[in-house]
Amino acid sequence: MNGSFPVEWRKEGGYTPYEAAVAEMEHRVAEIAAGEARERVWLVEHEPLYTAGTSAQETDLLAPDRFPVFRTGRGGEFTYHGPGQRVAYVMMDLNRRGKDVRRYVRDLEEWIIRALAEFGVTGERREGRVGIWVDRTHRGGLPGQEDKIAAIGVRLRRWVSFHGISLNVEPDLGHYAGIVPCGISEHGVTSLVDLGITATMDDVDAALKTAFRDVFGVELVTPSDG
């Protein structure tokens, strides 16, 4: 992707209400499309909630009263967000960087894979399964066991992306029991801590920042940089 345009890297403290996050993304996407604002990577955490993508099946919502459920226009099915999970909302102008959605999603995957590699974790793609997976065979799992460690859900408006990725650092994995994550019931979910990696959220953010710069070939600036 063309990296000549700096991208804003913004990190939010505390828990960001989901509806407020969507409204902020909608506003920023409109500004980016109009040429009035920089592209942005926005790092947040949410309180426990479930989101339903455009392909979500109602039968995959196993506990509808457990946490708030938000219908969203991103691709994909049901997923969970909550404390200990890094959510990165990525607002990139594909008009500038090539109108290639497949490549964009593959770059998001590569971003996660490279960040995980900083902690000695091999993240992998799987044909027909969106997200990034970890082979648990040599990490205390059963032979052939594969667990999902990161989810990807993307939406485009006027070729500007929003929504993005979620990476499990130290969430309560039991909260996934209220859904069939991404419609896949034959595999589980994991996190860095579940894999025995004692990484802080700041550690993960630093790895994500370096990997994003490398994969997308962009200069990253903070809001205070002007």
Side-chain angles (χ1 to χ4, degrees):
M1 285 192 174
N2 188 333
S4 60
F5 301 96
V7 175
E8 181 184 290
W9 185 269
R10 174 179 167 185
K11 181 176 177 178
E12 208 70 45
Y15 298 130
T16 302
Y18 186 77
E19 289 176 310
V22 172
E24 173 65 19
M25 279 192 287
E26 297 263 2
H27 178 70
R28 186 65 172 223
V29 164
E31 289 186 322
I32 293 168
E36 299 171 353
R38 281 179 171 148
E39 299 157 295
R40 171 188 284 173
V41 179
W42 187 23
L43 307 181
V44 304
E45 276 185 274
H46 294 302
E47 292 186 333
L49 59 93
Y50 298 130
T51 67
T54 55
S55 301
Q57 304 293 318
E58 289 303 313
T59 52
D60 288 340
L61 181 58
L62 306 178
D65 299 322
R66 186 168 186 177
F67 297 127
V69 179
F70 295 94
R71 310 289 165 175
T72 180
R74 64 160 174 79
E77 304 186 44
F78 279 103
T79 194
Y80 166 77
H81 294 318
Q85 181 192 73
R86 175 51 82 210
V87 176
Y89 293 127
V90 186
M91 290 152 269
M92 299 288 281
D93 187 354
L94 301 192
N95 293 289
R96 294 174 170 179
R97 303 184 183 279
K99 294 180 177 180
D100 189 333
V101 179
R102 288 179 181 272
R103 179 184 174 190
Y104 175 63
V105 171
R106 191 164 185 85
D107 284 345
L108 292 177
E109 294 170 341
E110 183 65 19
W111 174 31
I112 300 167
I113 289 169
R114 293 196 190 190
L116 288 172
E118 291 296 310
F119 304 99
V121 174
T122 302
E124 300 176 337
R125 301 174 176 91
R126 288 292 181 267
E127 188 69 30
R129 286 190 255 142
V130 179
I132 299 300
W133 300 79
V134 175
D135 185 342
R136 297 297 300 272
T137 303
H138 303 296
R139 287 185 174 270
L142 298 172
Q145 180 182 347
E146 295 178 343
D147 289 343
K148 190 172 189 176
I149 194 168
I152 298 172
V154 171
R155 186 176 181 182
L156 296 179
R157 179 172 297 150
R158 295 172 61 186
W159 285 99
V160 179
S161 72
F162 57 124
H163 296 280
I165 71 163
S166 59
L167 173 60
N168 289 340
V169 182
E170 192 178 6
D172 184 339
L173 296 178
H175 289 172
Y176 280 90
I179 57 172
V180 178
C182 300
I184 299 171
S185 58
E186 62 269 29
H187 299 283
V189 290
T190 189
S191 68
L192 287 174
V193 168
D194 184 49
L195 294 172
I197 309 297
T198 54
T200 67
M201 194 67 78
D202 285 343
D203 294 334
V204 170
D205 291 344
L208 285 170
K209 190 172 186 178
T210 298
F212 191 90
R213 186 186 295 117
D214 292 345
V215 171
F216 287 90
V218 296
E219 176 190 357
L220 296 174
V221 296
T222 63
S224 61
D225 292 332

